[in-house]
Amino acid sequence: MISTVGAATVALAREDDAGPAPAAVTAGAVESATAGTAPADAAPSADSGIGSRAGAGRSTVDTRPVTAVGRPAVEVAKDAPASVAYLSDRYRITRDEAARRVALQELSAPLAATLAARYPTEYAGMWLDQAGGGVLTIAATDPAPVTKAVAGVPDATHVKVVPVRHSLRELTAAAARVAGALDATAGTDVVVDEQANEVLVVTGGAVAADDARLPGAIQAAGVPARTRQLPPSIEKAPCDPRYCAQAPMRGGIRLDVPRDDDTVGGCTSGFNLRARSGRYYVLTAGHCVVGGRHQEVDRTWHQFLGPKVPVGVESTSPVLAENNTTYDYAVIPYQDGAIDRWAYPRRSGGDQASLVNYWCVTDNPACATRGSRDVKITGYTAYSAVQVGWVVCATGSAYTPKAGEVYVDSGAGAGYVPGTRCGTVTSKTNGRIGVRVCARPGDSGGPLFTESDGRALGILNDGDPGTGACTNPNEQNFYMPVSTILDRVNANTGLGIQLATRGPLLNPIGSSNR
């Protein structure tokens, strides 16, 4: 195997080349939440895992070396200034790190073609995990030969190989069969999801969600297959509240909470909090984790039925959640290891502001102007200072899935779109901020804030009954003030919890609670 850094020519080694096979390259890498790998607690099978054979017999293609060429990052950066600027801004990384990622991206296309040709029964696709550190993740039914092949590529420390069950060739053939059964187009209406290692039928276009042929076509695929509804054509930007498993944690994204009776409910993250010790927490509604169906210690997840990304866990020592007529809040510490996923990356650039997600929806007139974005939280406004008539904004993640979607139903009702809506403060009664803003079950815990200055006001607790699309212009909902919550928590615990205006960050902490 030969390799030269810079304008490199890399010979991809076959498994039978001389020399010891290197171990899978994972240095500096973070596992992608959507990788098509078995969960950590799954029992190993005879045809999965490192060094195993899940696909067909060994490839018999030409074993002569095939080269892949990569350019130095500094050279790539000169040709892609907008791409470097985008990565630097979006993931809060240095321009040098952004340039490295663009260079790795440039290398990935010819590398994918090489691997697909040389290892048709092993290679299963690849993707760049930007949220996980700019790691090129390669899926393979037998990781050993592929790992050896890529060990000498430029930037190999940011390349890793993960085991999956089905090769890309198998999945592509299955997608063609499914498309044929549905009179659809493979690659457009029926596609391969390489990260999930399955076939995806996109409904709402050429294939109707209620197509009677769908169940049979999916069952006959021969590989895992599912459907996904074509999303509505609205402006999209930073982070869909339903699918936002990327750092940093921000207000307004979906939290799924399993209940004692094995059902799952949906709530919304409110704001980032920080204790005197440096420990970070997520604020949401108390009734999300405390109540008749929440007698056990509850854990919260993002996309419970999908990647199942861990978020937080109910605190019982000290108790940081209440659910009664006066107080309805939950200060959620992160599950073990979860902060690594949700905190800003170490040495990331920018001001590392604490954020609230402003997600554009069709019934919000702001879509026609600025669209979706992140709002930096600069502090909070005390309940006593909030005035009736103020224009405020609220973000929620409530959602009821359409036919074929694998997603927790929060009870929002068909037609309700999660995101940010703005309205006016109508009252200050019973210690709550009353607002004329549409909300649905599943938006509970979501943030109320003033858009112009990024000041936090409260989190959603309750309000008028409603289901489905927002059709009542006078609907009112009620938010518990952030100032009241902070006063209550600190009086009970002495933890010195404050609203975070930076982070979450990976700072050292004194102990698990203080």
Side-chain angles (χ1 to χ4, degrees), residues 405-491:
E405 289 184 318
V406 180
Y407 197 81
V408 172
D409 184 358
S410 73
Y416 181 76
V417 179
T420 306
R421 295 170 172 85
C422 301
T424 54
V425 176
T426 58
S427 66
K428 292 171 59 180
T429 57
N430 298 322
R432 303 289 202 271
I433 303 170
V435 299
R436 189 172 286 120
V437 175
C438 178
R440 296 288 179 264
D443 289 337
S444 292
L448 182 74
F449 57 97
T450 44
E451 181 185 18
S452 62
D453 56 3
R455 308 290 286 185
L457 301 179
I459 60 172
L460 179 64
N461 299 120
D462 54 31
D464 290 350
T467 186
C470 297
T471 57
N472 178 8
N474 295 315
E475 178 178 336
Q476 295 190 83
N477 290 286
F478 301 91
Y479 290 75
M480 185 172 184
V482 168
S483 59
T484 303
I485 295 170
L486 295 177
D487 289 344
R488 176 70 171 180
V489 171
N490 288 320

Side-chain angles (χ1 to χ4, degrees), residues 129-144:
D129 184 3
Q130 300 287 9
V135 176
L136 182 63
T137 304
I138 302 171
T141 61
D142 184 0

Side-chain angles (χ1 to χ4, degrees), residues 10-61:
V10 180
L12 300 181
R14 288 292 300 171
E15 187 180 48
D16 51 5
D17 284 353
V25 180
T26 58
V30 177
E31 183 75 23
S32 169
T34 55
T37 57
D41 57 353
S45 62
D47 58 352
S48 63
I50 299 292
S52 65
R53 306 286 307 173
R58 180 158 315 279
S59 303
T60 58
V61 296

